Amino acid sequence: MTHTQTAQETADLEHRPEAPVATGRAPRPDIVGGDVPEPPFPIRLQGPVQHGFKRGSKDLGFPTANLPDNALEPITSSAQTGIYFGYAQIAPRAGESNTLRDEDYKVFPMVMSLGFNPYYQNKTLTAEVHILHDYPCDFYGHDIRTIVLGYIRPELNYISREALIEDIRTDIRVGLKSLDRPAYSALANDDLFLKA
Ligand SMILES: Cc1cc2nc3c(=O)[nH]c(=O)nc-3n(C[C@H](O)[C@H](O)[C@H](O)COP(=O)(O)O)c2cc1C
């Protein structure tokens, strides 16, 4: 069996290979992974939401919450860079001003980008979670808790912003469809998440 490079191994390379450019690809499968999450999933991550590079996620229409670097080891040691799906929850931290509504603290589906965002040519590895919920405002400093349940695709480079947006839209469809199976949706109630 060939060894797939973990995200940490990719980050440690002196010269990382360039990500492939997405070109009029064949239609993508609308569901990924087996009927139950397979190792290394589920992977649980949590930490205070960090500021991202602010170059594009809001601009693209897909705001993301970045996990802190020191929270990434469980996924960077066991999974490759790429796009993932699962569930996430924002939880208030003691001492932080609480600006969200009660309904914003529920568990929601998420899609996550783990890697170097080749389109933006980031030099450092980030984990950016796009939670499928319309939050009324930013929540930096709040805790993000997330359970990663499967891999969708590798990170790609794009000839246009529109092409990247189109692929993220597909990632969301694939993520939601892939979560819509009993062994996956059951994990929205995982012990990681705070109960109301
Ligand atoms: C589901 C999802 C998939 C993404 N896929 C890619 C990708 O394949 N290539 C890429 O360069 N960036 C990808 N992005 C990352 C966006 O480029 C990222 O959100 C952008 O860098 C904005 O980050 P910033 O607000 O920290 O600047 C993806 C983001 C999400 C949420």
Side-chain angles (χ1 to χ4, degrees), residues 19-20 22 25 51-60 62-64 66 82-84 110-114 116-122 126 128-131 140 152-158 164 167-169 171-172:
R25 286 179 297 151
H51 288 270
F53 297 107
K54 305 231 178 74
R55 282 191 307 233
S57 62
K58 274 190 189 155
D59 202 54
L60 288 172
F62 304 100
T64 54
N66 287 29
I83 313 307
Y84 292 86
M110 67 83 182
V111 284
M112 178 178 100
S113 165
L114 174 71
F116 301 89
N117 297 343
Y119 183 70
Y120 291 96
Q121 298 181 1
N122 292 353
T126 56
E128 307 178 4
V129 182
H130 173 60
I131 306 178
Y140 297 115
I152 301 180
R153 65 170 174 93
E155 287 195 292
L156 297 171
N157 203 344
Y158 291 87
L164 170 58
D167 251 3
I168 297 178
R169 282 207 190 105
D171 295 331
I172 292 172

Side-chain angles (χ1 to χ4, degrees), residues 60-149:
L60 288 172
F62 304 100
T64 54
N66 287 29
L67 279 147
D69 293 346
N70 64 9
L72 299 186
E73 196 275 336
I75 190 161
T76 55
S77 64
S78 64
Q80 64 198 99
T81 58
I83 313 307
Y84 292 86
F85 70 92
Y87 289 104
Q89 179 187 44
I90 297 301
R93 274 173 91 85
E96 289 290 327
S97 61
N98 179 348
T99 44
L100 296 179
R101 309 160 297 190
D102 286 353
E103 69 224 56
D104 301 318
Y105 295 113
K106 289 188 183 155
V107 176
F108 298 104
M110 67 83 182
V111 284
M112 178 178 100
S113 165
L114 174 71
F116 301 89
N117 297 343
Y119 183 70
Y120 291 96
Q121 298 181 1
N122 292 353
K123 296 281 176 277
T124 53
L125 180 127
T126 56
E128 307 178 4
V129 182
H130 173 60
I131 306 178
L132 298 173
H133 176 69
D134 201 3
Y135 293 92
C137 59
D138 288 338
F139 41 75
Y140 297 115
H142 277 52
D143 242 353
I144 175 165
R145 298 174 176 225
T146 186
I147 184 165
V148 186
L149 299 179

Side-chain angles (χ1 to χ4, degrees), residues 34-37 42 87 147 149 178-188:
D35 285 346
V36 301
Y87 289 104
I147 184 165
L149 299 179
S178 300
L179 286 174
D180 191 16
R181 292 174 287 186
Y184 290 82
S185 40
L187 288 159

